[in-house]
Amino acid sequence: MPPLFFVLLMWFSGTAAVVWLDSRPRRTFGLSYTLAGIAAFGAFGAMAVLARSPGATAAYAGFAAAIVLWGWHEMGFLMGFVAGPSKAPCPPGIKGWARFQAATATVIHHEMALATTALALFAISWGQPNITGPLAFLLLFVMRLSAKFNLFLGVPNLSDEVFPEHLAYLKSYFRKAPLNALFPFSIMFGLGVTLWAWLAAEQAGSAGGAATGALLAGLAFLGTVEHLFLVLPMRDAALWQWAAKGASKAETVTAASAKIVTKEIANGGFP
């Protein structure tokens, strides 16, 4: 399977799965998160084994395992199991460092969990020929942080019309603004990683190295596209409304929450 198509397939199916599970009644969250955790544990173990295999098939499998592990983390956040010690809206009138501290308190546990997982993935694959999975997970983490900082600093398109009840407090930390100073650097970073990974794929001396470079290039490009949706007058979250169809109004992943999911997966946004 062509690597770029594989990246798109994993991104789309992974996002749709998380959206669908998060749109179910909240009484189902515990079971869904537990089963996803079992899958994530298996994916972690698979990456430890796959790290010793230098072939293209192992690179594809490692990438898929990273998506599974990332999806479990995002389910924990979107379902409210792992977020931060604060679930309060942004206090009125605060600015600067105080606002940053308040925003950080709403997500810090999740960010620490992601960072710890990334470190663990590199620890189990250090010195091995296949680090596709750890690199993909790290890229997702970096692009996710970039998207969150941009939302915090201010972008034209927040897509925060309606949030799920258990995440409604988060939108108070987003800021609508024409643009912010970080955004151009986020785009340059995404395009830079895309170009670097693509050139690495072309110059790789093995099929496994070429697959790794192409997969990372596709993921970086998708993350860059997701960033562009922050400034374009388009609602990319509408792509996922079909996955939430049929859930009750109070417990539905709406366009706004779907926006969050896409950013978690490919930035951003799985986000």
Side-chain angles (χ1 to χ4, degrees):
M1 181 182 295
L4 299 184
F5 178 76
F6 184 76
V7 172
L8 184 61
L9 177 64
M10 292 300 300
W11 170 79
F12 187 84
S13 60
T15 302
V18 174
V19 170
W20 186 83
L21 290 170
D22 195 45
S23 72
R24 301 304 94 194
R26 294 194 70 180
R27 65 177 180 275
T28 67
F29 285 4
L31 178 60
S32 296
Y33 186 56
T34 299
L35 293 177
I38 295 173
F41 183 81
F44 186 90
M47 276 191 271
V49 175
L50 291 166
R52 300 192 290 268
S53 302
T57 301
Y60 277 80
F63 184 89
I67 295 297
V68 171
L69 187 54
W70 182 265
W72 175 65
H73 275 289
E74 294 316 306
M75 284 176 62
F77 176 70
L78 294 168
M79 291 179 175
F81 293 116
V82 183
S86 173
K87 290 181 171 57
C90 184
I94 65 170
K95 298 179 180 179
W97 180 247
R99 179 171 171 261
F100 178 77
Q101 286 182 305
T104 300
T106 65
V107 296
I108 188 61
H109 293 164
H110 186 232
E111 306 304 330
M112 291 176 63
L114 290 172
T116 300
T117 300
L119 289 173
L121 289 174
F122 278 98
I124 64 174
S125 58
W126 190 260
Q128 301 300 322
N130 178 19
I131 57 171
T132 310
L135 285 174
F137 193 93
L138 178 62
L139 180 57
L140 287 165
F141 182 37
V142 173
M143 296 298 282
R144 177 189 189 277
L145 283 177
S146 173
K148 289 296 178 287
F149 275 116
N150 276 286
L151 285 166
F152 175 80
L153 293 172
V155 289
N157 184 13
L158 300 178
S159 288
D160 63 346
E161 297 89 349
V162 184
F163 266 53
E165 184 179 351
H166 57 283
L167 293 178
Y169 61 94
L170 287 176
K171 68 178 182 179
S172 65
Y173 295 94
F174 297 165
R175 173 180 290 167
K176 193 165 186 176
L179 204 58
N180 66 77
L182 175 64
F183 186 79
F185 293 98
S186 297
I187 296 299
M188 287 191 290
F189 172 79
L191 292 177
V193 173
T194 301
L195 179 60
W196 169 79
W198 188 259
L199 292 176
E202 291 186 335
Q203 298 170 6
S206 65
T212 297
L215 290 167
L216 294 175
L219 188 61
F221 181 74
L222 279 177
T224 305
V225 171
E226 281 296 326
H227 276 66
L228 289 174
F229 275 116
L230 294 173
V231 299
L232 296 175
M234 301 172 65
R235 303 296 184 187
D236 61 327
L239 289 170
W240 316 109
Q241 287 180 308
W242 61 271
K245 188 177 181 180
S248 65
K249 182 178 180 181
E251 297 174 348
T252 297
V253 174
T254 60
S257 60
K259 178 82 171 183
I260 296 175
V261 179
T262 59
K263 301 220 178 306
E264 304 300 342
I265 293 177
N267 341 243
F270 194 65

